[in-house]
Amino acid sequence: MIVLRLALQSLFNRWVTAALTITTIAASVVLLLGVEEVRTGARQSFADTISGTDLIVGARSGGLNLLLYSVFRIGNATNNVTWTSYQDIAFRPEVAWIVPLSLGDSHHGFRVLGTTGDYFTHYKYRQSQGLTFAAGGPFTDLFDAVIGSDVAASLGYKLGDSVVISHGLGSVSFLEHDDKPFRVAGILEKTGTPVDRTVHVGLAAIEAIHVDWQSGARVPGQLVSAEEVRRMDLAPKAITAALVGLKSKLAAFRLQRAINEYRSEPLSAILPGAALQELWGLVGTAETALKVVSAMVVATALLGMLTMILSTLNERRREMAILRSVGARARTVLGLLAAEAGVLTATGVALGLVLLYAALFLARPYVDAVYGLHLPIAPLKPDAWATLGVIVLGGCAAGLLPALRAYRLSLADGMTVRT
Amino acid sequence: MTVELARTAAALAPDIVRLSGVRFAWPGRSAFVLEVDTFTLSARERVLLIGPSGSGKSTFLSLLCGIVAPQSGRTEILGSDLTGLGAAARDAFRAEHFGIIFQMFNLLPYGSVIDNVLLPLSFAPGRRRRATAGASASQEAQRLLARLGLEPNLVRGRSAANLSVGQQQRVAAARALIGAPEIVVADEPTSALDRDRQQAFLELLFAETSAAGAALIMVSHDQSLAPRFDRVVPLADIATASHQGPSYVGPSDQ
């Protein structure tokens, strides 16, 4: 016990370098596990964004592009789907439900989605969880808007507030549909998906605000008021994409093939899960690169510890000579130094875990609000524990080099320190 | 007991240390070789080993304590041939039978006074048993410190680094004496002290080694200390230190 106590006191005696070493190891552990947590969180967030949708239909393009713009509001559609084709698909016997999506406009940088009331019934996220309203409800009027929770929070909107939609995308727009303002009819509960950052309006409303527009600009001298437009036929001519639910999952491939071979119009149908896998395959290389960088940071931290122990070894030769003189075996000296490296690494790992969870706790609301990533705060998975175990073992192994040197020095020094 | 009487008694006492035909070169180091013809130390004897710097005194002590093993010859301590023991066995033997005082006292500066004194007991169960025969190890350490002039309330809770030179020396002596080892080895323990303090420290050291029944072998440059010892041994009389060619590499001391 006395030997261990003295070894710890020796470590405390060098507390500045020891603290720096521990901090370096802790920072590397935070980075290594943080990258993994963010990666897992991002994957989970993406995977959780859509659930219960069997097919997504859009204009002919890459499956990944279709998934990104229709579900994640990332990027734009290459083309539209005609309303005729949409109806053709909607009336197919395999289809249980279909929800049209019309994208292209925005409001203070938030995407505007034209859809139907079915969207609020059929859109599911995070293992078949449905959308719920924090206030109000779905559209009842042509110019009703349902906003996501982030839209409401960041713009300070409440029920009844006016919303003017901008033509096109971007946070600043000079082309606004200010003659036909919308009214906030509903505010959705937080979902942790792009829905939170979306302004939902009726599909007919999208047609309504564009009746006096052509080629991205207002037609001069052809102003149609909000009241006049209510009396017009607002059947859409085209949509951006559609979410499809099937009566039987078994029909998914058959319908997908039928849509991909659709003769009247070049269309694409994708299985969301398959497209996500394609996405993971695409980002897998970047993830691997991140992991490699993190592992290198850990290795650098362990090398720093090795340097610290080696640099203090000379001044500790007297300490080792004392231990040897009172009967400590050379192996005890070796063990003490290896144990010191182990204690430093284990403390660094423990501190890293504390810092990681503190950082996750503090950063979660910000990351959720700004990036839409829902970072889970959950116990470490077995492979993360295994990684930490490898780090501690690596630390002990790194400590063996100075320990072996100390062993040799303690044999060579005998009773006198020879420098 | 007068010095003369002590010398007579020592001469009659059995040898507890006997080195003969010992040859040692530091493993991996080319130059220095120490050859000891014969050296003996009797029970309770006080021997002053003198020699100039670099003559091999510390190497001699390392051989005597079994920290290193000679390449040839015989090192017999308390009837055991150390040369026949492995490194671990020599370490255990040293812990049990030797108390060592260094030139610079070599206390662990961050350790408490009591921990420094008790440290040898961690490696020597026999000494621990002897130290705890009448009281706890900590009480025995305090008793020794008190006998060496360090009152327990003066050192309680203090780290060794906060002691004066004289106090550190007493702690080093207490560490060497705890558990009553048979042989106390002191490597120039008075070199950092002025004349008065030297005398006072030697008085204490002699009194305690006598009380413990231990033999004392002390290394010093200072020949003026000679009259206080039973025997003075110039290292040159018992050993030859030589420098061999750079290619010499001795076998491992393992």
Side-chain angles (χ1 to χ4, degrees):
Chain A
M1 278 307 288
I2 288 175
V3 177
L4 279 179
R5 189 160 64 236
L6 287 170
L8 279 176
Q9 283 167 344
S10 166
L11 197 55
F12 287 137
N13 203 41
R14 292 171 278 119
W15 71 269
V16 175
T17 43
L20 282 173
T21 305
I22 288 170
T23 309
T24 311
I25 294 170
S28 68
V29 166
V30 169
L31 187 69
L32 184 73
L33 293 186
V35 163
E36 185 59 20
E37 287 298 314
V38 170
R39 190 184 73 86
T40 312
R43 279 193 176 218
Q44 200 58 49
S45 285
F46 268 70
D48 283 349
T49 296
I50 190 155
S51 171
T53 297
D54 298 310
L55 286 174
I56 301 171
V57 179
R60 177 74 49 85
S61 67
L64 195 53
N65 184 42
L66 173 54
L67 178 81
L68 289 176
Y69 72 70
S70 63
V71 176
F72 298 104
R73 321 278 192 259
I74 297 169
N76 295 302
T78 51
N79 211 336
N80 283 336
V81 177
T82 61
W83 187 245
T84 315
S85 298
Y86 167 80
Q87 283 186 311
D88 194 17
I89 294 165
F91 289 120
R92 287 185 69 103
E94 306 97 318
V95 175
W97 56 264
I98 185 163
V99 175
L101 307 175
S102 183
L103 292 154
D105 289 335
S106 63
H107 175 69
H108 292 297
F110 294 106
R111 293 285 184 114
V112 170
L113 172 68
T115 185
T116 62
D118 287 345
Y119 180 83
F120 304 108
T121 311
H122 294 298
Y123 179 84
K124 306 282 184 206
Y125 67 101
R126 206 169 294 156
Q127 288 146 10
S128 301
Q129 203 168 325
L131 296 175
T132 52
F133 284 85
F139 339 112
T140 52
D141 182 73
L142 179 64
F143 292 110
D144 275 355
V146 170
I147 58 175
S149 63
D150 289 353
V151 180
S154 62
L155 300 178
Y157 284 168
K158 54 189 184 304
L159 292 181
D161 282 354
S162 177
V163 173
V164 172
I165 289 175
S166 304
H167 190 78
L169 306 174
S171 53
V172 178
S173 174
F174 298 104
L175 296 169
E176 296 199 319
H177 299 284
D178 49 2
D179 57 326
K180 299 178 187 71
F182 285 76
R183 181 188 66 92
V184 176
I187 299 171
L188 292 167
E189 287 279 12
K190 179 93 178 163
T191 63
T193 71
V195 170
D196 299 339
R197 298 182 299 284
T198 304
V199 175
H200 306 82
V201 298
L203 200 57
I206 293 288
E207 283 301 314
I209 59 176
H210 290 105
V211 288
D212 45 6
W213 286 60
Q214 201 168 45
S215 303
R218 240 185 215 124
V219 180
Q222 196 185 333
L223 187 68
V224 180
S225 73
E227 286 312 310
E228 284 174 301
V229 86
R230 289 176 186 277
R231 293 191 291 275
M232 296 173 73
D233 174 20
L234 296 174
K237 295 173 192 64
I239 58 166
T240 312
L243 306 180
V244 179
L246 301 176
K247 290 170 185 163
S248 164
K249 307 280 179 203
L250 297 173
F253 289 110
R254 193 170 67 243
L255 183 60
Q256 184 188 26
R257 192 168 58 249
I259 293 170
N260 286 340
E261 293 169 356
Y262 196 69
R263 286 181 183 280
S264 311
E265 185 178 1
L267 296 178
S268 286
I270 58 163
L271 299 157
L276 271 176
Q277 283 307 317
E278 194 183 334
L279 179 64
W280 304 147
L282 203 66
V283 299
T285 311
E287 286 180 348
T288 307
L290 266 177
K291 279 184 180 177
V292 169
V293 169
S294 304
M296 284 170 74
V297 170
V298 172
T300 309
L302 294 181
L303 275 175
M305 180 184 69
L306 177 69
T307 310
M308 187 276 275
I309 296 177
L310 274 175
S311 64
T312 56
L313 210 54
N314 227 25
E315 62 195 66
R316 297 175 66 194
R317 287 170 76 172
R318 188 172 300 280
E319 175 184 325
M320 289 171 234
I322 295 167
L323 287 171
R324 292 278 288 139
S325 74
V326 296
R329 294 167 63 176
R331 282 180 197 169
T332 308
V333 173
L334 184 143
L336 280 176
L337 263 89
E340 179 180 315
V343 166
L344 285 173
T345 315
T347 311
V349 164
L351 179 66
L353 277 178
V354 171
L355 290 177
L356 173 72
Y357 278 104
L360 281 176
F361 184 76
L362 292 174
R364 190 156 78 148
Y366 177 78
V367 172
D368 199 353
V370 176
Y371 301 106
L373 283 183
H374 180 75
L375 297 177
I377 297 181
L380 286 186
K381 295 184 186 70
D383 54 347
W385 282 116
T387 305
L388 294 180
V390 168
I391 293 174
V392 174
L393 286 178
C396 294
L400 277 181
L401 184 65
L404 283 169
R405 186 165 160 70
Y407 175 86
R408 280 188 17 246
L409 287 173
S410 70
L411 286 176
D413 280 342
M415 282 180 59
T416 337
V417 178
R418 294 154 191 272
T419 51
Chain B
M1 190 186 289
T2 65
V3 172
E4 282 306 318
L5 277 174
R7 281 175 180 165
T8 309
L12 296 172
D15 289 344
I16 54 172
V17 172
R18 179 178 291 275
L19 271 68
S20 55
V22 166
R23 185 182 192 281
F24 175 76
W26 285 101
R29 292 181 200 174
S30 56
F32 188 79
V33 177
L34 184 73
E35 289 172 294
V36 182
D37 187 22
T38 308
F39 173 76
T40 57
L41 178 71
S42 305
R44 295 171 176 267
E45 189 181 17
R46 294 171 196 159
V47 169
L48 179 67
L49 187 71
I50 55 173
S53 294
S55 61
K57 297 190 297 293
S58 293
T59 302
F60 178 80
L61 293 185
S62 290
L63 277 166
L64 186 74
C65 299
I67 289 177
V68 291
Q71 279 83 39
S72 60
R74 189 174 169 86
T75 308
E76 198 178 305
I77 314 284
L78 296 164
S80 298
D81 181 10
L82 285 199
T83 44
L85 300 178
R90 288 201 313 273
D91 290 334
F93 190 89
R94 178 171 65 257
E96 286 293 355
H97 304 292
F98 284 90
I100 301 172
I101 306 170
F102 290 93
Q103 184 177 4
M104 296 307 295
F105 325 128
N106 278 3
L107 302 179
L108 296 173
Y110 40 79
S112 72
V113 168
I114 295 295
D115 277 353
N116 266 287
V117 175
L118 295 179
L119 184 60
L121 304 188
S122 301
F123 305 99
R127 276 173 79 176
R128 169 166 283 278
R129 270 195 302 277
R130 288 198 292 271
T132 55
S136 70
S138 183
Q139 284 170 328
E140 172 62 7
Q142 290 186 31
R143 186 195 67 79
L144 263 174
L145 287 167
R147 280 186 63 93
L148 286 162
L150 281 177
E151 287 305 318
N153 58 352
L154 197 71
V155 295
R156 188 174 293 127
R158 290 176 72 181
S159 68
N162 294 326
L163 301 178
S164 69
V165 171
Q167 288 172 329
Q168 285 186 45
Q169 202 174 37
R170 285 166 167 77
V171 175
R175 184 177 66 188
L177 291 165
I178 195 159
E182 290 88 342
I183 304 160
V184 173
V185 172
D187 188 4
E188 302 192 48
T190 56
S191 60
L193 302 178
D194 57 39
R195 179 70 56 185
D196 288 344
R197 285 174 185 271
Q198 269 187 2
Q199 296 301 330
F201 178 71
L202 282 180
E203 288 298 337
L204 281 172
L205 189 60
F206 287 166
E208 286 307 309
T209 47
S210 290
L216 172 69
I217 176 164
M218 186 170 129
V219 164
S220 180
H221 295 291
D222 189 353
Q223 299 211 27
S224 68
L225 301 173
R228 302 181 62 88
F229 284 81
D230 301 332
R231 189 157 54 105
V232 177
V233 179
L235 187 65
D237 287 0
I238 57 160
T240 311
S242 60
H243 291 265
Q244 295 206 342
S247 60
Y248 178 82
V249 176
S252 162
D253 67 330
Q254 295 295 288

